[in-house]
C-alpha cells in the first residue's frame, strides 16, 4: 500500500517520504516540515495510526492528517476526527477520491498558514500568547473571551516580558472594535507635558513647536482602543486629569478651553502593584478604582513551566521560516534545560534565547552548546571592578560619544560580515531584531542585503 500511494502521489507532483512504524514517523515529523500525513489506522499488531496522528498534532506547526482504514467503524472515525484528523477514507478506495482528499487537506493547511501569517502581519506577536497550554494561561484566555466584547476598562498586571501588550491586542481583536485603530502609548517613556499632549491633544500655539492643532490618541482612536502601558508611571498631576477624562469621557486639548468627547475603549497595563502604590501615595486611589474595573493577571513564565517547551517550539518554528532552515530542532537535553530555567525576563527572554540559538547553530540540532552559558549553569565573567580614568573636556557629550561609537561598530560589523546582517548581529552579540533597530536609528538600514 505504501508503494502504491508513493507512486500515485509522486506522479501527481507531490514530494513524498515513506516510513514504516510509529517511531520512524515521529523521527520524520521532528526533523522535517511535513504538510500532510497519510497513515493507516492499524499498523501491525501493537501500533496504531492514532499514535501517528497524535505525534503529528503535537508539532508546533502541525500537518493535516488523513487516516486510512479498513476498519471504518463510526467509533474509529469519530475518535480520529476528535484527535484532529482532517478526514478518513476507507479501504478499498478510488485513487481519484484519495487525490481529491489530499488536495483539499493541503488547501486547508495553506489557508491556515495564510491566516496565521496575516494575523502576525497585522498584529505581530499575538499568536505567541495562544501557545500556552497550562491551566493558568487557559484561565487568562477564558477571561479575555468574556471581557473582550464589553466596553469595560481592563487593567492588565504582569512582570516585564509576560506579554501585557499582546493580551491588550487580543482583547481589541476579539472585540467589536477590531476594525478600528489600536493605539498603544508607553506612559513611562514620555515626560508629563508630552504625555498629556499625546493623550489629550493640543491646539496651535499651546507650546513651542505646536504649529497646528493636533488631536490626542483618545480622540484619534475613534471607536477603537487606546492602550495605556506602564500606567503606574504616570505623574500625579497627570493622574488627576486622566481621572476626569475617564469619568467625563471628554478630553480638553492642551491650550484649549473646549472639551471634546471621545468613544475609545481604555485598556491599561502595569508591572507594579497599584494597590501598594496607592498606599505609598504614588498613585491616586480614585484613579486606581476607575481603572481596576476588571483585572487580568499574567503569570510569570517561571510559574507555568509547562508552557516553556511549546513556546520554545513556537519560536523555533518562526526561526525555521525566517532563516529558511526547515530542519532546525531542539535536542531533548536542550529542551529539558529550557524547561527547567526560571526565565526572569519571561517570554521575551525565551524568544531571544531561541533566536540566538537558531542563528548561531552550525547544524540543525540545537544542543546545550547552542544555549547561553547562564542557562547551562556556567558562571558569567564578572565585569571589571573599576573603570579606567577618562579625561572629559569642555563640551563633551556622552550621548553623542555613545552614538558615534555605536555607529562605528555597526559599520565595522557589517564590513566584517560582508554585508550579511545576521552575521553582523552575531559579531556584536545582538539579536537580529535589535541589530535592525540600531541600523535604522543610524540611517544604515537602506542596504540591499536585509538578511
Amino acid at each position: 500500500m505504501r508503494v502504491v500511494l508513493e507512486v500515485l502521489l509522486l506522479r501527481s507532483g507531490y514530494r513524498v517520504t515513506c516510513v514504516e512504524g510509529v517511531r520512524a514517523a515521529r523521527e520524520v515529523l521532528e526533523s522535517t516540515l511535513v504538510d500532510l500525513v497519510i497513515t493507516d489506522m492499524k499498523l501491525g499488531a501493537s501500533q496504531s495510526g492514532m499514535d501517528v496522528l497524535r505525534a503529528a498534532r503535537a508539532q508546533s506547526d502541525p500537518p493535516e492528517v488523513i487516516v486510512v482504514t479498513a476498519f471504518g467503524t463510526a467509533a474509529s472515525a469519530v475518535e480520529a476526527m476528535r484527535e484532529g484528523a482532517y478526514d478518513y477514507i476507507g479501504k478499498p478506495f478510488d485513487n481519484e477520491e484519495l487525490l481529491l482528499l489530499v488536495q483539499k487537506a493541503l488547501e486547508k493547511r495553506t489557508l491556515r498558514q495564510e491566516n496565521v501569517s496575516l494575523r502576525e502581519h497585522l498584529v505581530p506577536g499575538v499568536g505567541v500568547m495562544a501557545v500556552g497550554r497550562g491551566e493558568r494561561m487557559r484561565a487568562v484566555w477564558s477571561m479575555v473571551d468574556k471581557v473582550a466584547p464589553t466596553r469595560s476598562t481592563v487593567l492588565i498586571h504582569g512582570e516585564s516580558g509576560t506579554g501585557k501588550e499582546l493580551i491588550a491586542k487580543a482583547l481589541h481583536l476579539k472585540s467589536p472594535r477590531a476594525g478600528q485603530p489600536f493605539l498603544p502609548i508607553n506612559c513611562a517613556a514620555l515626560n508629563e507635558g508630552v504625555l498629556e499632549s499625546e493623550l489629550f491633544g493640543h491646539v496651535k500655539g499651546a507650546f513651542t513647536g505646536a504649529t497646528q492643532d493636533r488631536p490626542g490618541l483618545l480622540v484619534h482612536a475613534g471607536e477603537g482602543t487606546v492602550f495605556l502601558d506602564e500606567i503606574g508611571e504616570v505623574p500625579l498631576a497627570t493622574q488627576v486629569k486622566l481621572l476626569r477624562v475617564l469619568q467625563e469621557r471628554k478630553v480638553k486639548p492642551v491650550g484649549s478651553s473646549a472639551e471634546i468627547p471621545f468613544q475609545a475603549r481604555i485598556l491599561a497595563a502595569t508591572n507594579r502593584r497599584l494597590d501598594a502604590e496607592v498606599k505609598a501615595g504614588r498613585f491616586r486611589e480614585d484613579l486606581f478604582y476607575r481603572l481596576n474595573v476588571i483585572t487580568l493577571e499574567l503569570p510569570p513564565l517561571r510559574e507555568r513551566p509547562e508552557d516553556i517547551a511549546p513556546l520554545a517550539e513556537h519560536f523555533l518554528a518562526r526561526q525555521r521560516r525566517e532563516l529558511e532552515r526547515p530542519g532546525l530542532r531542539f535536542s531533548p537535553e536542550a529542551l529539558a534545560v529550557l524547561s527547567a530555567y526560571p526565565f526572569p525576563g519571561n517570554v521575551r527572554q525565551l524568544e531571544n534565547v531561541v533566536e540566538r540559538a537558531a542563528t548561531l547553530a552550525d547544524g540543525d540540532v540545537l544542543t546545550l552548546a547552542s544555549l547561553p552559558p547562564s542557562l547551562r549553569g556556567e558562571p558569567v565573567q564578572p565585569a571589571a571592578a573599576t573603570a579606567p580614568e577618562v579625561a572629559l573636556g569642555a563640551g563633551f557629550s556622552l550621548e553623542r560619544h555613545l552614538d558615534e561609537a555605536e555607529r562605528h561598530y555597526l559599520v565595522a560589523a557589517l564590513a566584517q560580515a560582508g554585508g550579511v546582517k545576521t552575521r553582523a548581529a552575531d559579531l556584536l552579540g545582538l539579536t537580529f531584531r535589535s541589530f535592525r533597530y540600531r541600523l535604522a536609528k543610524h540611517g544604515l538600514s537602506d542596504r540591499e542585503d536585509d538578511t
Side-chain angles (χ1 to χ4, degrees), residues 102-153:
V102 167
Q103 178 185 337
K104 289 183 176 179
L106 292 174
E107 286 175 353
K108 178 187 176 183
R109 175 168 169 78
T110 299
L111 181 61
R112 177 159 52 87
Q113 289 177 323
E114 288 176 350
N115 286 340
V116 170
S117 177
L118 180 59
R119 285 198 302 271
E120 286 288 332
H121 175 71
L122 293 175
V123 188
V126 168
V128 176
M129 300 304 298
V131 175
R133 302 174 180 175
E135 182 178 347
R136 298 192 65 179
M137 283 309 297
R138 288 202 303 270
V140 169
W141 279 111
S142 176
M143 181 67 79
V144 167
D145 290 336
K146 289 179 181 177
V147 304
T150 71
R151 295 174 57 88
S152 299
T153 301

Side-chain angles (χ1 to χ4, degrees), residues 85-318:
Y86 171 75
D87 209 340
Y88 72 98
I89 188 169
K91 292 185 290 187
F93 52 79
D94 180 77
N95 287 350
E96 293 302 320
E97 180 186 4
L98 177 68
L99 289 175
L100 181 60
L101 196 58
V102 167
Q103 178 185 337
K104 289 183 176 179
L106 292 174
E107 286 175 353
K108 178 187 176 183
R109 175 168 169 78
T110 299
L111 181 61
R112 177 159 52 87
Q113 289 177 323
E114 288 176 350
N115 286 340
V116 170
S117 177
L118 180 59
R119 285 198 302 271
E120 286 288 332
H121 175 71
L122 293 175
V123 188
V126 168
V128 176
M129 300 304 298
V131 175
R133 302 174 180 175
E135 182 178 347
R136 298 192 65 179
M137 283 309 297
R138 288 202 303 270
V140 169
W141 279 111
S142 176
M143 181 67 79
V144 167
D145 290 336
K146 289 179 181 177
V147 304
T150 71
R151 295 174 57 88
S152 299
T153 301
V154 180
L155 179 63
I156 306 167
H157 177 263
E159 296 179 4
S160 295
T162 50
K164 297 186 290 296
E165 183 171 349
L166 299 181
I167 287 293
K169 290 176 180 176
L171 285 166
H172 174 71
L173 288 176
K174 288 173 174 283
S175 78
R177 303 170 184 266
Q180 300 296 317
F182 174 86
L183 302 181
I185 182 169
N186 188 330
C187 300
L190 304 173
N191 63 38
E192 183 176 338
V194 175
L195 178 60
E196 290 183 14
S197 175
E198 287 293 313
L199 284 176
F200 311 143
H202 62 254
V203 296
K204 181 179 179 181
F207 50 82
T208 303
T211 57
Q212 59 184 7
D213 292 354
R214 180 183 175 187
L217 293 182
L218 292 170
V219 172
H220 186 65
E223 296 185 358
T225 302
V226 173
F227 174 54
L228 307 177
D229 198 8
E230 303 299 347
I231 188 70
E233 307 292 336
V234 174
L236 281 168
T238 305
Q239 290 180 30
V240 177
K241 299 175 183 178
L242 182 59
L243 173 63
R244 178 174 174 79
V245 163
L246 296 181
Q247 288 174 335
E248 303 296 331
R249 302 292 296 179
K250 296 178 181 178
V251 298
K252 184 183 292 185
V254 177
S256 172
S257 58
E259 291 186 322
I260 304 173
F262 70 94
Q263 302 297 323
R265 184 186 190 181
I266 305 297
L267 304 177
T270 180
N271 60 8
R272 296 187 177 190
R273 285 289 176 187
L274 292 188
D275 51 355
E277 295 294 299
V278 169
K279 291 179 181 178
R282 292 187 291 267
F283 202 85
R284 291 184 61 92
E285 184 175 21
D286 43 10
L287 179 58
F288 170 59
Y289 288 123
R290 173 64 62 176
L291 292 170
N292 196 33
V293 178
I294 296 172
T295 300
L296 271 174
E297 290 282 346
L298 287 187
L301 194 52
R302 64 181 173 276
E303 293 181 6
R304 49 187 182 103
E306 68 277 6
D307 289 340
I308 293 177
L311 279 168
E313 293 287 2
H314 174 86
F315 293 135
L316 187 60
R318 182 186 299 169

